[in-house]
Every structure is written in structure tokens, then in C-alpha cells.
């Protein structure tokens, strides 16, 4: 039981490049979330998926897109990376879809030059 | 604007000592308050979740308190260990707004 896994662990991009961050959970959870964590700030919600087939914007969705591929997988895409998107990205999941106890992945550290 | 403020920003203590971390919030309406532990390079891990009616909740050497009237919470760590070195994050959930508000964390360092 791996919990929530994320790939890659580290990534360096040039401004304007695109990439997709992958997240998978094996806990049969309904809801999945993407957050970003910046120094000196609390985690901020980018997008979430309350259940398979649905996605909703969070606090800071601009510059990102998401896909809930199936119940297990939730990906985050940066179409044209900007230096302001340099951050640590965390994926999380919870069982019931009501922002209940969330389980976090290990994070992806992204640097945009 | 909903906010969660944590203090101190950082704290250094000696192994075996106790410490208390503070969290003040202005989130409304309030549903529950959570404390997470985040080790360096890892994702946050839940320690406790407290609802409006709960004043105290323990998880091993971690004890969280909640005063919903003053909108304050504390996390007390007893007999600290080197493995307690981490960032501790306070999070407040507003159910009706379906919103989680995260504090920026207290960085705790436990020295031998």
C-alpha cells in the first residue's frame, strides 16, 4: 500500500516549456487535490476533483490544467511554464470528498528558469 | 479574509524538553481544525483533527487544544525527540465554504 505517489520528484524547466505532474493513490479515495507550497506561505489549492469525472478550481488555478484520468490518477499540467510557478507541488486524496482528512504525496519540486 | 497565523515561526529546543506551538485563526464559519507534521522533503501527515466541541485531543506525545471562543489552538509536544524536528502546520476547515486555510507553519528543531 503505497498511499499517494507523485512523479517526478524534481524537475527543471525553461520558461515556456510544458510538463505534466502525475499523481496516483491506491487507497480507493474519491477525492484528489493539487496544492502548491511556497516559502513562507501556507499550502494553496490549485485544483481538486471531488469524484471521478469532476474537477473544480481552487484558490490559484491560473496557468494550470488538470485531468482526473480515473479514480486512481489525477494529473496537473503546466502548458507554458513561468518562473512564478517555481514551487513544490503536492497531491493529496481523501476518502469522502468533503475536504476531510487528507493524505499527501511526497511532492514534486519544480524550478522554472 | 480567512487567515491562519502560527507562532513562533521557528523554535529550537533540546531533546527531552516540552514545547507549545500556537495557532490563531479568523476562519468563519468554522468546521474543524487540523494539525499536520511535515518532515523536510515530505508531504504533510495528519496529527489531529478537532471539531468545535472538542477542547483537547492527543496523539501520543502530541496534545492539541482548541478554544473556539477565542479562535486559538495550541499543539503541545511532550518529551521531544530528534524525530520531532519538522514543520508543524495548522489548518482550519470551513465546511460550508468547502475551504481549507493553511498556516505557514512553525519550524521546530530538536537538538541532542
Amino acid at each position: 500500500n503505497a498511499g499517494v505517489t507523485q512523479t517526478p520528484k524534481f524537475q527543471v524547466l525553461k520558461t515556456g516549456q510544458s510538463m505534466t505532474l502525475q499523481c496516483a493513490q491506491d487507497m480507493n479515495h474519491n477525492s484528489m487535490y493539487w496544492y502548491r507550497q511556497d516559502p513562507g506561505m501556507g499550502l494553496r489549492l490549485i485544483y481538486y476533483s471531488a469524484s471521478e469525472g469532476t474537477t473544480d478550481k481552487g484558490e490559484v488555478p491560473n496557468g494550470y490544467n488538470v485531468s482526473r484520468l480515473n479514480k486512481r490518477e489525477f494529473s496537473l499540467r503546466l502548458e507554458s511554464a513561468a518562473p512564478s510557478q517555481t514551487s513544490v507541488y503536492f497531491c493529496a486524496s481523501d476518502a469522502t470528498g468533503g475536504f476531510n482528512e487528507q493524505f499527501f504525496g511526497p511532492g514534486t519540486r519544480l524550478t522554472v528558469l | 479574509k480567512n487567515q491562519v497565523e502560527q507562532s513562533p515561526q521557528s523554535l529550537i529546543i533540546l531533546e527531552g524538553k516540552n514545547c507549545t506551538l500556537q495557532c490563531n485563526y479568523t476562519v468563519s464559519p468554522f468546521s474543524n481544525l487540523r494539525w499536520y507534521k511535515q518532515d523536510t522533503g515530505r508531504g504533510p501527515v495528519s496529527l489531529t483533527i478537532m471539531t468545535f466541541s472538542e477542547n483537547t485531543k492527543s496523539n501520543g506525545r502530541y496534545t492539541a487544544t482548541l478554544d473556539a471562543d477565542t479562535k486559538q489552538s495550541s499543539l503541545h509536544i511532550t518529551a521531544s525527540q530528534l524525530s520531532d524536528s519538522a514543520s508543524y502546520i495548522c489548518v482550519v476547515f470551513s465546511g460550508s465554504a468547502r475551504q481549507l486555510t493553511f498556516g505557514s507553519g512553525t519550524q521546530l528543531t530538536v537538538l541532542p
Side-chain angles (χ1 to χ4, degrees), chain A residues 2 5 10 15 46 67 78-80 88:
Chain A
T5 57
F10 302 94
T15 297
I46 304 171
S67 295
L78 288 70
E79 290 291 351
S80 179
V88 182

Side-chain angles (χ1 to χ4, degrees), chain A residues 37 42-43 90 97-100 105, chain B residues 34 38 43 93 98 100 102-103:
Chain A
Q37 185 175 40
L43 274 77
F90 288 99
F99 288 80
N100 288 306
Chain B
R34 313 166 186 194
Q38 184 176 20
F93 177 50
R98 295 177 63 80
L100 282 169
F102 288 77

Side-chain angles (χ1 to χ4, degrees), chain A residues 35 37 40-44 48 50 90 97-107, chain B residues 1 32 34 36 38 41-46 49 89 93 98-104:
Chain A
Y35 292 92
Q37 185 175 40
M41 299 180 69
L43 274 77
R44 292 181 291 169
Y48 67 100
F90 288 99
F99 288 80
N100 288 306
E101 183 181 10
Q102 296 183 329
F103 296 81
F104 286 82
Chain B
K1 181 182 176 183
N32 62 56
R34 313 166 186 194
Y36 282 86
Q38 184 176 20
R42 301 283 191 103
V45 174
S46 179
I49 299 177
I89 302 172
F93 177 50
R98 295 177 63 80
Q99 181 179 40
L100 282 169
T101 304
F102 288 77
S104 57

Side-chain angles (χ1 to χ4, degrees), chain A:
Chain A
N1 189 337
V4 179
T5 57
Q6 293 182 236
T7 55
K9 287 190 186 329
F10 302 94
Q11 184 71 49
V12 178
L13 293 178
K14 294 181 179 178
T15 297
Q17 288 184 317
S18 62
M19 78 161 295
T20 299
L21 282 64
Q22 306 287 354
C23 173
Q25 51 90 12
D26 62 3
M27 296 175 283
N28 200 34
H29 284 174
N30 286 320
S31 297
M32 298 184 74
Y33 309 79
W34 276 106
Y35 292 92
R36 60 178 289 171
Q37 185 175 40
D38 299 299
M41 299 180 69
L43 274 77
R44 292 181 291 169
L45 182 66
I46 304 171
Y47 271 95
Y48 67 100
S49 171
S51 61
E52 187 178 354
T54 69
T55 60
D56 285 288
K57 294 179 180 179
E59 183 184 354
V60 288
N62 291 345
Y64 305 96
N65 286 301
V66 290
S67 295
R68 184 73 182 268
L69 304 171
N70 47 56
K71 192 171 185 178
R72 290 187 63 249
E73 298 172 290
F74 188 40
S75 63
L76 178 72
R77 183 161 177 83
L78 288 70
E79 290 291 351
S80 179
S84 61
Q85 294 178 305
T86 293
S87 188
V88 182
Y89 292 86
F90 288 99
C91 178
S93 69
D94 77 56
T96 60
F99 288 80
N100 288 306
E101 183 181 10
Q102 296 183 329
F103 296 81
F104 286 82
T108 293
R109 184 174 294 274
L110 175 67
T111 301
V112 183
L113 301 176

